[in-house]
Amino acid sequence: MFGPVLLKNIDVADGHLVSTYEAGGGYQALEKALREYTPDEVIDLVKRSNLRGRGGAGFPTGMKWGFVPKRTGKPTYLCCNADEGEPGTFKDRIIMERDPHQLIEGLAVSAYAIGAETAYVYIRGEYVTAIRRLQQAIAEAHAKGYLGKRVLGSDFNFAVHIHCGAGAYICGEETAMLESLEGKRAQPRLKPPFPAVAGLYASPTVINNVETLACVPHIIMRGSDWFRGIGPDKSPGPKLYCLSGQVRKPGLYELPMGIQLRELVENHAGGALPGRRIKAVIPGGVSAPVIPEHGLEVRMDFDSLAAAGSMLGSAGVIVIDDSTCMVKVATRIIEFFHHESCGKCTPCREGLNWVVKVLRRIEAGEGATGDLEQLDMLCKGIFGNTFCALGDGAAMGLRAALAHFRAEFVAHIEDRRCPFH
Amino acid sequence: MTMREKIEEAAARYPDQRSAIMPALLIAQEEHGHLPGPVLEEVADILGVERIWVYELATFYTLFHTEPVGMFHLQLCDNVSCMLCGSEDLLDHLETVLGIRKGDTTPDGLFTLSTVECLGACEMAPVMQVGDDYHAHLDVARINALLDSLRATVGAASVEHASARLPGE
């Protein structure tokens, strides 16, 4: 029987305080890691757990840590990606607001493993409560000896700093985040070199998502077999699913990786609103291609969703019912990507501008013959032709909307009006 | 602490002063309300960095305001989850009761109305950020109550002045 792990303290009164965290066994994983394991043993443990990054790409965390070169003469940095900006996603905010020490312990164990003495938590500036809670938690952890010089009497020194973002979605892309941390406009870097070799200040750098880091103390305490025993072997572990949109019980759900999307939406989140029918679901934030109702048997893990033509992404599950116009949803999604394009790559900067104009025209009932073919052509011109995945996400999302709900687009053009108005 | 002291304290967290530009801009904006040219230049001078670097960031990131905003900046999320839960109607209502379009500030300087991309609180949609606070599960009644409570936080004289200018009151 699966019980919450990452969210076990979320509804506890004063769950953000170190005393509450300690009372629930908090910081024992840090102590265990420092006393019983070498850094390489921690990396091996995480590799054996098959923890895959929860930020969206699903790269194996232990393998990423293993790429960090040793004895380079430069400091190694750990960066926490807390710039949660994918529409439909709010899991990291809730961890930071209600159980920030879980993140700090994850940071400390991870930093010990990769040999970092400094971590920067890049947190979106809008998250004022999370920022304050994390600041307070960092101060508490220092006072308790979990951070600072000679952590828990060991030779490990570790400092955590908060770096506030200022409202740019692109900062969630890891190399753009590094640019932003270096005080520049957040524009992605060409890879290679990968951050593990030349990241922040050209030093070895690991970038992990909040949820990924929060998993680490539990792997230390319960072991890699426990983690691998949850969900599918290729992408195991507990997973946070964000449910929002036109659904009865929106909220954050912790369930095994690989749960069926239909079970998640209909059983756990209560299904469609009264009198309505689910039409489609976006399974992983707006970058993830939409899945029509008949596809909801898919499993919520990296590989199953990829095989189904979508992706797990941030697990930001947005439910859309039969009262909603899919042209409108697609337009709003592309408006988002257009607004958030950093402007570095021409296909993304100019292509999305063009796509938005065509979509707005269609939505307004002013579409023309050939508009859909033009959208297909624009998607082809954007996808795969940009530095980062922002353009790809936009193109994939629009392609899926056009493929699954083409009749709605055609109706707008032929009837010269939105059929939902 | 003075603004300079706060910025210098923030800068100590980084091996490169350029990294401190964003924290410094957030501190300066809290101090001044917005970031006009002379403030940007002061930030550059405190950190000892190129002025153009500071201008680059102030104009790239949406949380930095180079123009003044109202005493209360109403930032309504209209991304997909909030849109599906009715944020469009709330925007219409806000524009009507405030008598301004999105992007504008009321003549009394009390309210600036904006729509913003996802606030990361989709489970509580529709959501609006005002200052540091999120206001969740909004509907017309809650919007009206929120506007009333915001007006009540300013002085009585100012409230009378503001109300006289607000259509729909």
Side-chain angles (χ1 to χ4, degrees), chain A residues 87-88 90 93 120 124 126-127 132 163 166-167 180-186 201 244 246 328 332 336, chain B residues 13-15 18-19 22 56-57 59 61-63 78-79 81 84 88 117-123 129 132:
Chain A
F90 46 86
R93 187 195 93 242
Y120 292 100
R124 66 178 298 184
E126 293 91 336
Y127 280 3
R132 286 180 182 152
H163 185 96
S180 185
L181 259 167
E182 290 181 4
K184 303 167 193 166
R185 290 184 163 211
Y201 310 122
S244 69
Q246 291 160 327
K328 184 175 174 179
R332 185 63 192 86
F336 167 75
Chain B
R13 301 196 293 262
Y14 305 96
R18 188 168 183 175
S19 285
M22 276 175 66
E56 276 181 4
L57 299 203
T59 53
Y61 296 93
T62 56
L63 295 190
D78 69 345
N79 211 298
S81 297
L84 293 171
E88 276 181 320
E117 300 297 348
C118 185
L119 286 172
C122 319
E123 84 280 24
Q129 185 168 20
D132 290 349

Side-chain angles (χ1 to χ4, degrees), chain A residues 140-344:
Chain A
E140 286 182 324
H142 259 287
K144 288 278 191 171
Y146 302 129
L147 296 176
K149 296 286 183 191
R150 298 182 59 79
V151 171
L152 295 175
S154 71
D155 292 331
F156 173 52
N157 305 317
F158 184 47
V160 177
H161 303 298
I162 292 174
H163 185 96
C164 292
Y169 168 71
I170 191 61
C171 293
E173 198 281 334
E174 62 178 14
T175 60
M177 172 172 291
L178 296 176
E179 289 286 292
S180 185
L181 259 167
E182 290 181 4
K184 303 167 193 166
R185 290 184 163 211
Q187 294 189 316
R189 297 175 180 171
L190 187 64
K191 294 187 280 191
F194 290 94
V197 176
L200 187 62
Y201 310 122
S203 291
T205 303
V206 165
I207 301 144
N208 286 139
N209 174 254
V210 171
E211 184 187 351
T212 312
L213 291 162
C215 287
V216 172
H218 303 290
I219 293 170
I220 298 293
M221 291 308 291
R222 297 167 188 242
S224 54
D225 288 344
W226 161 79
F227 196 84
R228 284 189 87 124
I230 300 168
D233 194 49
K234 287 187 176 174
S235 42
K239 181 75 195 89
L240 301 182
Y241 300 99
C242 315
L243 269 292
S244 69
Q246 291 160 327
V247 67
R248 284 177 195 246
K249 295 191 290 182
L252 187 61
Y253 294 84
E254 183 181 1
L255 291 160
M257 187 77 90
I259 189 172
Q260 190 189 68
L261 180 54
R262 186 180 297 282
E263 183 188 345
L264 179 62
V265 171
E266 295 191 347
N267 297 354
H268 293 279
L273 298 173
R276 290 292 168 195
R277 197 171 49 76
I278 292 171
K279 179 157 89 173
V281 176
I282 297 170
V286 296
S287 296
V290 66
I291 295 175
E293 194 277 341
H294 61 76
L296 299 189
E297 318 308 325
V298 66
R299 300 254 161 210
M300 292 291 285
D301 61 73
F302 296 106
D303 303 315
S304 302
L305 279 161
S310 187
M311 61 184 196
L312 182 65
S314 60
V317 180
I318 303 172
V319 181
I320 301 160
D321 73 23
D322 59 349
S323 68
T324 300
C325 170
M326 291 306 292
V327 177
K328 184 175 174 179
V329 171
T331 304
R332 185 63 192 86
I333 289 172
I334 299 298
E335 284 174 341
F336 167 75
F337 285 112
H338 172 236
H339 184 268
E340 297 299 322
S341 174
C342 74
K344 181 163 183 163

Side-chain angles (χ1 to χ4, degrees), chain A residues 13-93:
Chain A
D14 293 330
H16 61 285
L17 300 179
V18 70
S19 54
T20 312
Y21 190 64
E22 287 175 325
Y27 288 112
Q28 289 178 13
L30 176 60
E31 193 163 358
K32 184 176 180 182
L34 294 176
R35 297 235 166 108
E36 297 181 19
Y37 298 130
T38 65
D40 284 344
E41 286 171 340
V42 174
I43 293 176
D44 283 343
L45 192 64
V46 173
K47 277 183 181 170
R48 287 201 304 275
S49 76
N50 206 8
L51 168 63
R52 293 176 64 175
R54 281 11 183 183
F59 194 81
T61 303
M63 190 186 295
K64 184 187 269 189
W65 292 2
F67 291 154
V68 175
K70 293 181 169 58
R71 290 175 289 280
T72 61
K74 296 178 178 177
T76 296
Y77 291 103
L78 175 61
C79 294
C80 171
N81 187 342
D83 194 58
E84 188 165 64
E86 179 83 10
T89 314
F90 46 86
K91 62 193 177 66
D92 297 338
R93 187 195 93 242

Side-chain angles (χ1 to χ4, degrees), chain B residues 121-142:
Chain B
C122 319
E123 84 280 24
M124 302 185 285
V127 180
M128 183 163 72
Q129 185 168 20
V130 184
D132 290 349
D133 300 322
Y134 277 22
H135 299 270
H137 301 299
L138 289 174
D139 55 22
V140 166
R142 284 184 174 157

Side-chain angles (χ1 to χ4, degrees), chain B residues 18-34:
Chain B
R18 188 168 183 175
S19 285
I21 298 174
M22 276 175 66
L25 288 176
L26 289 167
I27 290 165
Q29 185 161 277
E30 191 175 328
E31 185 89 9
H32 293 278
H34 71 291

